[in-house]
């Protein structure tokens, strides 16, 4: 039975809930955050799911919390600077098509670097167990201050040229006291990006990714299904202007999750005890690739089994800022 961990606001306080496949959601007593629960599980030498089950308390109404806007992202860190947002691209079968379109104009008739990177993954992204495969494309997205829950507006900077969704899954990790990455589970994600900047030059990928991102309310513990199927849509003024299925899980990926994890956590910087990592696994489905130009007020909606709750966020543009650099 899959156990899902959620965080929510309870008046002026925070609380944690667990949700399984059968009964109602239950409050997890004695902890105020998923981070606290993970630290307790590490101290007790048990799984995150078992730590939650041992603390299961009264039943609560998750649908009411969702309607009230009380659900939080399923993970955060008391110090946002110790929560890393990173990701990998060109990891899914078919994911090169949209990226190749973006970069083809600059490359002319030549094979693009995106297509070459994708092909490397197809050929070497799923090595034998215990053996590292080819490294994927990797990017840094920000720290915990860039992480948003379902319902919150996704802010696009005033200088951005585009703000569009990327429906995908993210792995959630904590680094234990011995510096070992421990996977807490998986979350539904919108890895929001600036695709026009990236289209201009693939070397601007780093700029295009420094944006906020949203996570669905559930942290799914245990193993991820091999085949995850969902739907991504863009809603404008109450009407769906774009909708498409998206696929994830290793059956639909050119890299194994173990290979993506290896090439992220091989860097000692990312194995600092106590840190949280949210690592986005990539997608093959983008409204931008189909010519959709988003605008303020558009609502991104993402849903996929086995997650029970949808991820939905409106788009907004931040006010311009004047940055003055002063000598000291």
């Amino acid at each position: 039975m899959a156990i899902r961990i959620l965080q929510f606001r309870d008046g002026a306080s925070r609380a944690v809930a667990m949700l399984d496949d059968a009964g109602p959601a239950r409050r997890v007593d004695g902890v105020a955050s998923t981070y606290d629960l993970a630290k307790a599980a590490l101290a007790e030498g048990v799984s995150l799911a078992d730590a939650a089950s041992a603390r299961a308390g009264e039943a609560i109404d998750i649908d009411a919390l969702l309607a009230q806007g009380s659900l939080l992202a399923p993970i955060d860190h008391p110090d946002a600077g110790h929560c890393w947002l990173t990701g990998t691209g060109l990891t899914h079968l078919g994911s090169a098509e949209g990226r190749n379109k973006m970069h083809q104009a600059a490359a002319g008739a030549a094979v693009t670097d995106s297509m070459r990177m994708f092909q490397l993954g197809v050929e070497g992204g799923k090595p034998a167990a215990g053996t590292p495969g080819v490294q994927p494309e990797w990017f840094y997205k920000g720290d915990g201050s860039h992480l948003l829950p379902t319902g919150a507006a996704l802010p696009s900077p005033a200088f951005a040229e585009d703000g569009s969704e990327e429906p995908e899954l993210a792995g959630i990790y904590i680094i234990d006291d011995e510096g070992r990455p421990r996977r807490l589970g998986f979350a539904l994600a919108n890895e929001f990006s600036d695709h026009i900047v990236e289209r201009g030059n693939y070397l601007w990928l780093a700029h295009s990714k420094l944006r906020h991102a949203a996570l669905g309310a559930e942290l799914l513990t245990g193993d991820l299904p091999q085949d995850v199927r969902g739907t991504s849509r863009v809603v404008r003024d109450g009407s769906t202007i774009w909708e498409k299925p998206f696929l994830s899980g290793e059956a639909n990926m050119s890299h194994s999750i173990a290979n993506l994890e290896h090439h992220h956590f091989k860097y000692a910087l990312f194995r600092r005890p106590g840190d949280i990592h949210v690592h986005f696994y990539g997608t093959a489905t983008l409204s931008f690739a189909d010519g959709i130009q988003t605008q303020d007020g558009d609502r991104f909606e993402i849903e996929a089994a086995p997650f029970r709750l949808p991820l939905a966020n409106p788009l907004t543009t931040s006010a311009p800022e004047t940055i003055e650099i002063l000598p000291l």
Side-chain angles (χ1 to χ4, degrees):
M1 182 179 296
I3 300 293
R4 302 160 179 85
I5 308 298
L6 305 92
Q7 300 187 116
F8 63 97
R9 284 187 297 271
D10 184 16
S13 303
R14 289 170 46 131
V16 178
M18 61 171 286
L19 180 64
D20 60 30
D21 292 327
R26 296 197 165 285
R27 182 184 294 267
V28 178
D29 293 332
V31 293
S33 69
T34 304
Y35 185 76
D36 291 344
L37 181 63
K39 297 286 278 188
L42 288 171
E44 295 164 11
V46 299
S47 70
L48 187 69
D50 286 346
S53 298
R55 293 167 169 79
E58 65 178 359
I60 57 174
D61 188 342
I62 288 295
D63 291 329
L65 292 173
L66 179 63
Q68 295 163 8
S70 297
L71 292 176
L72 304 171
I75 190 67
D76 55 4
H77 192 287
D79 178 352
H82 286 274
C83 178
W84 299 81
L85 308 188
T86 59
T88 47
L90 298 168
T91 53
H92 284 63
L93 301 173
S95 61
E97 181 180 357
R99 292 281 296 278
N100 193 57
K101 284 181 184 177
M102 283 192 232
H103 302 152
Q104 190 69 58
V111 176
T112 66
D113 286 331
S114 291
M115 188 58 75
R116 281 193 288 267
M117 178 72 78
F118 173 73
Q119 195 58 42
L120 286 171
V122 170
E123 295 169 358
K126 290 184 175 180
T131 303
V134 67
Q135 59 188 356
E137 174 192 68
W138 180 96
F139 58 85
Y140 172 69
K141 192 154 185 71
D143 64 14
S145 65
H146 274 193
L147 198 58
L148 298 172
T150 186
L154 276 166
S156 184
F159 57 76
E161 299 183 50
D162 169 59
S164 296
E165 86 298 334
E166 294 202 14
E168 54 195 85
L169 302 178
I172 313 298
Y173 306 85
I174 189 171
I175 310 302
D176 69 17
D177 290 342
E178 285 71 47
R180 297 173 301 193
R182 307 291 293 270
R183 190 192 311 116
L184 301 179
F186 307 91
L188 196 59
N190 183 348
E191 195 272 289
F192 181 68
S193 300
D194 186 333
H195 300 97
I196 292 180
V197 163
E198 182 191 345
R199 181 178 64 185
N201 190 312
Y202 75 95
L203 294 175
W204 287 338
L205 175 73
H207 291 278
S208 76
K209 294 298 186 182
L210 280 171
R211 301 290 188 271
H212 286 73
L215 290 182
E218 303 157 81
L219 192 161
L220 179 71
T221 64
D223 295 329
L224 183 71
Q226 288 285 305
D227 185 17
V228 176
R229 294 172 179 258
T231 302
S232 178
R233 67 181 65 88
V234 179
V235 178
R236 181 175 296 165
D237 298 327
S239 299
T240 299
I241 63 168
W242 178 88
E243 181 176 288
K244 206 166 190 176
F246 77 93
L247 305 177
S248 195
E250 288 194 355
N252 303 298
M253 295 172 67
S254 52
H255 286 261
S256 65
I257 289 174
N259 193 51
L260 302 183
E261 292 171 337
H262 167 78
H263 285 293
H264 178 65
F265 291 111
K266 69 185 181 184
Y267 297 102
L269 173 66
F270 300 145
R271 301 195 304 274
R272 185 169 56 196
D275 281 6
I276 290 291
H277 289 255
V278 178
H279 193 68
F280 299 90
Y281 294 146
T283 187
T285 305
L286 308 171
S287 66
F288 180 81
D290 290 337
I292 298 298
Q293 293 184 326
T294 59
Q295 60 187 46
D296 273 20
D298 285 355
R299 180 178 169 90
F300 304 118
E301 297 181 356
I302 301 169
E303 56 193 39
F307 300 95
R308 290 173 57 173
L309 301 175
L311 171 59
N313 301 90
L315 171 65
T316 187
T317 299
S318 300
E321 294 180 283
T322 299
I323 309 300
E324 184 179 7
I325 311 302
L326 301 175
L328 182 61

